[in-house]
Amino acid sequence: MTASNLGSRITGYGFAVFTIGALCWIAVGALSDQPALMWTNVVLLALNTFGVWRWLGRQAGVEEGARSASEASERSPGEALFPVSLLSRAPVRCGQAEVGHCIDAMAGCRSGRLDYLVVSEGGVAGVGEKLRRLSWNDAHVEGELVVTDLAADRFEHLDELRRDEWPGH
């Protein structure tokens, strides 16, 4: 569930379900005189409780802070801001079609400027996906989306990246 990266709320609620499950198994272990089952689930209860705090407490607060800063920047003079964490999960739209999901971005160490995005296209859970390099010059953020003005056929001809070797520039 945590590997799916479905957002803090869904992951947090998943940990809440696991917490309830651990409590039930602790009761079963105690009532049926199975101490190994009971103590294993006591440990899982502690881990799941931490998961609930981490995802429904801390991470949800961080995401809310980023969202409020982004909204406040839209109402103030100057350039609008967006949370950089968006670049590890945002859908990428080309025209009206969703063409993939942004999975990472590369930025200059000194300038802080984004150079390119890595977009995952196709596949299921990472199997069979193609990674493409999308120049930041060809993209911008609109709300929770990364939008490119490239035509869909031009997007399909972007450089394909190997999973373990991305270009330095």
Side-chain angles (χ1 to χ4, degrees):
M1 182 181 321
T2 56
S4 298
N5 195 17
L6 298 174
S8 61
R9 299 256 183 245
I10 292 174
T11 303
Y13 290 134
F15 273 110
V17 169
F18 292 157
T19 299
I20 293 167
L23 288 168
C24 292
W25 283 114
I26 289 169
V28 168
L31 294 173
S32 62
D33 196 31
Q34 297 182 58
L37 177 63
M38 184 181 70
W39 288 110
T40 299
N41 280 282
V42 166
V43 172
L44 289 175
L45 175 64
L47 292 171
N48 292 328
T49 302
F50 175 76
V52 169
W53 169 81
R54 165 72 168 83
W55 292 101
L56 286 180
R58 180 189 176 275
Q59 189 62 29
V62 167
E63 289 176 9
E64 180 61 27
R67 186 191 60 72
S68 67
S70 178
E71 289 174 359
S73 74
E74 291 174 5
R75 296 185 301 269
S76 62
E79 186 175 19
L81 303 174
F82 71 92
V84 175
S85 60
L86 180 73
L87 299 180
S88 66
R89 59 178 163 77
V92 178
R93 192 176 69 204
C94 195
Q96 295 301 316
E98 188 175 301
V99 292
H101 280 81
C102 188
I103 62 167
D104 212 337
M106 298 300 293
C109 291
R110 279 177 260 166
S111 69
R113 292 189 180 132
L114 291 173
D115 190 57
Y116 66 88
L117 305 176
V118 178
V119 179
S120 170
E121 174 188 26
V124 175
V127 177
E129 72 184 346
K130 291 181 184 177
L131 300 181
R132 298 207 183 272
R133 175 186 173 165
L134 175 61
S135 171
W136 183 246
N137 293 330
D138 295 326
H140 62 277
V141 172
E142 290 181 10
E144 294 282 316
L145 297 171
V146 171
V147 178
T148 179
D149 296 326
L150 297 176
D153 61 332
R154 187 158 172 231
F155 179 84
E156 291 175 7
H157 289 93
L158 290 175
D159 292 341
E160 191 171 330
L161 303 176
R162 290 181 32 193
R163 182 174 309 280
D164 60 346
E165 191 175 326
W166 299 351
H169 288 283

